[in-house]
Amino acid sequence: MQNAIKAEIKRLAKRAFEKEEKSKKLEAQYQQRFTKRTGLTAGPSSRKPKAPISKHFDPKYCSRNANFLAKTIWHKVLNNCYEPIPAVCYQIPKPDGSKREVMAFAIPDAALANVVLRRARDRNLKRLSPASFAYHPDKNVFDAILALREFDHRGKLFAVQIDFEKYFDNIPAGYLKGKVADSGQVSLTPHERHIFERFMHHQFAEHAQYGTGQFQRRHKGTPQGSSVSLLLANLANHDLDVDLTAAAGRFVRFADDVVALCSDYSQAQLIEKCFFDHCRISGLKVNSEKSPGIAVISGRAQEVRTLPHFDYLGYRFAPAGLTVPEKTIKRLKTRVSRLANIYLIQYLAAGFDQSRCSTSAPVYDWDLLGLIYELRRSLYGGLAEAEIEAFIHQGKRLPKMKGLMGFYCLLDDPAPLKQMDGWILSMVRRATRTRNDILSSKYGLNCPTPSNRQLATGEWLDPAAWRGDPKPEARMPSLVRGWRAARKHFYTFGLENVEAPKYGFYSDLDDLFDY
């Protein structure tokens, strides 16, 4: 065990080094782009690296002393006196405007948590519900989506969705401790139980107050940010899994997001009762504002509450098949608009390098080309247009499948993607006109203002403007074109080599864009 902790400390320290190097590289790229676009020398970075809050958060110290730290921490566990170093609490904004508390634990504590979680999870994998998809190493979000899509309801389809109020924050500690101690439900060693209980009552403070030594102690909920939170949260809903297995035609749980499907209203009522009974026993609360409850999923009005669809894990489930939810389209538009502003408009306030664009032969705009490449990287997961076309028309296998395109390989209805493609063309065209107006009034210059057709085909860029080979791909990426490739890949190879996004992706598209 000590050697495993030592190896994990070194791995986490290495990952911290790589993250720091990536941040420095990105900052250098931002400065280089600023200089290219404005013709001005970029000033020093406003992002000053923060000194580690203590030596146990310092990857250099932890890497050099991994053996000593592993030996010390395991000795404390063996003597039942282990106590995690107080964590740093960060307030992370959520899409609804509220904030989520995420804990950053010291590297040795994070290493211990990872090792213990893997061993405990692997030992209890067969004892946990197969309908819980977030914590199984051999399952991912695609398995959860397919499990719902393949439910054969043979008539009316009833969906029951109940949302728990701040699930990870509100799980009562007493209920959790009872689950951890119950050998009939979970197989844990005495040392593992000790470790889980100490994490349930760890100390923490926000970054600004950490140096004062005034720490709070956790008395409920799970420590989000630590891997032990995964198993603890899963145990908190284990009894619900057991009840739903007996009551539901099909149910899927991904962390705290649960959907149950059945073909009968009385069965749907029984499923709903399972949720409320579980809350009454466990101390959890139902979020009435975000809980749709029971509904018939149908395109026609029925005798009970009827919905044309339900949204789950980034997909919209409807009788006609899977499509894209409206909230995903809205977030996608926000992200694309932000990129267009960064590439085409934002830098103009500081200055502009006249060599960046030309409206006379040869016609070019390197900032517009950069935007197109950034969108392609995001939507296609790093694939080139030539690779997409070769796979669709010639069957040449793709080297990988990531990004937004890869995630929506299960999509049945591409109608929202077609509308989104048109919106992207129109939005970028309007952005180029705004860019041209600013350049004309402020610098007496003009930039290309291509039409939708020119953007879609790439004809706006004169290849003669590019020196050398290969020539750039000036064609605007297409969600529909990416979906065609992803769909063909799914039917040809299944989900092989399709990278599933990280947990939380459906509430934050950054995991899909920044693959």
Side-chain angles (χ1 to χ4, degrees):
M1 187 69 173
Q2 182 178 318
N3 288 335
I5 298 172
K6 173 185 174 182
E8 186 65 13
I9 290 175
K10 286 185 171 292
R11 188 188 72 83
L12 292 179
K14 181 182 178 182
R15 191 174 70 176
F17 288 138
E18 292 173 347
K19 183 178 180 181
E20 184 178 348
E21 288 301 314
K22 182 179 179 181
S23 178
K24 291 180 180 178
K25 184 178 179 180
L26 287 174
E27 188 64 32
Q29 289 178 351
Y30 292 150
Q31 292 181 334
Q32 185 181 31
R33 289 173 184 173
F34 178 86
T35 300
K36 280 185 175 181
R37 292 169 183 168
T38 64
L40 303 174
T41 302
S45 173
S46 60
R47 300 179 182 179
K48 296 182 180 180
K50 295 180 179 179
I53 206 162
S54 79
K55 62 183 181 181
H56 294 96
F57 288 84
D58 184 356
K60 292 181 181 179
Y61 172 83
C62 293
S63 180
R64 292 170 182 168
N65 299 276
N67 187 56
F68 166 74
L69 293 171
K71 182 177 180 180
T72 300
I73 202 170
W74 186 237
H75 176 76
K76 291 180 179 179
V77 170
L78 292 177
N79 287 278
N80 288 330
C81 61
Y82 168 69
E83 178 76 25
I85 294 168
V88 184
C89 177
Y90 293 97
Q91 301 286 339
I92 308 299
K94 297 173 65 175
D96 60 2
S98 60
K99 293 184 178 181
R100 176 187 291 113
E101 286 189 353
V102 175
M103 303 294 165
F105 284 87
I107 292 176
D109 295 315
L112 175 66
N114 290 350
V115 172
V116 170
L117 171 72
R118 286 196 290 266
R119 298 196 176 196
R121 181 194 60 195
D122 293 345
R123 191 184 311 120
N124 291 278
L125 204 56
K126 300 298 182 182
R127 304 183 71 176
L128 300 177
S129 170
S132 175
F133 290 83
Y135 312 123
H136 285 255
D138 56 342
K139 294 182 179 181
N140 57 42
V141 63
F142 294 124
D143 297 300
I145 294 168
L146 288 172
L148 286 180
R149 190 180 73 165
E150 294 170 358
F151 174 63
D152 184 5
H153 51 89
R154 304 282 178 127
K156 289 183 179 179
L157 175 62
F158 290 85
V160 184
Q161 282 184 284
I162 301 294
D163 184 84
F164 296 107
E165 184 176 311
K166 294 184 178 180
Y167 176 73
F168 292 96
D169 297 329
N170 289 335
I171 304 174
Y175 183 76
L176 269 180
K177 291 176 71 173
K179 292 300 175 186
V180 170
D182 188 353
S183 59
Q185 287 193 357
V186 61
S187 177
L188 297 174
T189 67
H191 298 315
E192 288 171 344
R193 288 193 173 91
H194 171 67
I195 293 169
F196 282 118
E197 288 182 4
R198 297 324 302 157
F199 271 98
M200 278 190 275
H201 297 290
H202 71 90
Q203 291 182 308
F204 66 93
E206 293 191 8
H207 192 278
Q209 284 76 42
Y210 198 94
T212 65
Q214 298 178 356
F215 302 113
Q216 303 178 54
R217 188 173 289 278
R218 178 176 296 280
H219 295 292
K220 65 177 181 177
T222 63
Q224 293 188 72
S226 170
S227 56
V228 300
S229 180
L230 302 177
L231 185 62
L232 292 173
N234 205 37
L235 285 175
N237 263 342
H238 180 72
D239 289 344
L240 175 63
D241 292 343
V242 173
D243 293 340
L244 290 178
T245 299
R250 174 70 58 86
F251 85 95
V252 165
R253 181 166 66 82
F254 202 87
D256 60 325
D257 294 324
V258 190
V259 172
L261 303 178
C262 62
S263 303
D264 180 77
Y265 182 65
S266 59
Q267 188 179 17
Q269 289 180 304
L270 179 60
I271 293 170
E272 188 178 49
K273 183 175 182 297
C274 291
F275 282 98
F276 287 103
D277 287 347
H278 177 63
C279 288
R280 177 175 50 80
I281 295 172
S282 65
L284 291 168
K285 297 179 181 179
V286 171
N287 189 332
S288 57
E289 294 182 0
K290 295 184 179 180
S291 297
I294 301 174
V296 177
I297 308 302
S298 174
R300 297 181 299 173
Q302 305 291 327
E303 65 272 15
V304 296
R305 189 165 69 97
T306 307
L307 296 176
H309 49 70
F310 68 90
D311 296 343
Y312 189 63
L313 299 181
Y315 272 81
R316 172 159 290 179
F317 293 76
L322 298 176
T323 188
V324 184
E326 294 173 1
K327 62 181 181 180
T328 300
I329 292 295
K330 183 178 180 181
R331 290 171 185 162
L332 180 58
K333 287 182 176 180
T334 300
R335 179 60 186 257
V336 173
S337 298
R338 178 174 174 270
L339 287 175
N341 181 66
I342 290 174
Y343 274 84
L344 302 180
I345 298 172
Q346 178 176 306
Y347 288 92
L348 300 182
F352 185 71
D353 186 341
Q354 298 183 18
S355 66
R356 297 296 295 169
C357 65
S358 173
T359 55
S360 59
V363 176
Y364 62 89
D365 187 335
W366 301 141
D367 293 329
L368 175 57
L369 184 64
L371 170 63
I372 291 174
Y373 267 73
E374 180 74 14
L375 290 175
R376 183 180 297 118
R377 183 193 71 86
S378 300
L379 302 182
Y380 293 174
L383 294 173
E385 287 286 355
E387 292 175 309
I388 296 291
E389 292 288 345
F391 177 66
I392 293 176
H393 301 295
Q394 302 170 21
K396 187 176 180 180
R397 189 162 186 177
L398 295 172
K400 56 186 175 181
M401 182 71 68
K402 296 182 179 180
L404 196 70
M405 179 189 74
F407 174 63
Y408 281 116
C409 63
L410 304 179
L411 211 66
D412 296 312
D413 181 11
L417 301 185
K418 294 179 181 179
Q419 296 175 1
M420 188 66 192
D421 276 347
W423 180 88
I424 291 176
L425 290 174
S426 178
M427 185 275 300
V428 172
R429 174 178 55 80
R430 295 194 306 270
T432 59
R433 291 186 176 181
T434 300
R435 171 181 172 85
N436 189 63
D437 291 341
I438 296 174
L439 286 174
S440 177
S441 62
K442 192 169 184 177
Y443 302 103
L445 302 173
N446 292 102
C447 68
T449 54
S451 65
N452 285 5
R453 180 184 178 280
Q454 290 173 322
L455 286 170
T457 61
E459 295 174 357
W460 65 272
L461 177 66
D462 187 343
W466 186 266
R467 299 177 182 176
D469 292 312
K471 296 300 182 183
E473 296 177 324
R475 187 182 186 185
M476 186 71 70
S478 164
L479 287 165
V480 173
R481 194 157 57 246
W483 168 78
R484 287 180 62 195
R487 186 74 164 172
K488 181 176 180 179
H489 188 279
F490 171 64
Y491 279 114
T492 305
F493 306 108
L495 292 170
E496 181 184 355
N497 294 330
V498 179
E499 183 174 309
K502 303 172 186 177
Y503 172 69
F505 68 94
Y506 46 90
S507 62
D508 188 352
L509 286 175
D510 285 346
D511 281 338
L512 297 180
F513 278 102
D514 302 327
Y515 58 90

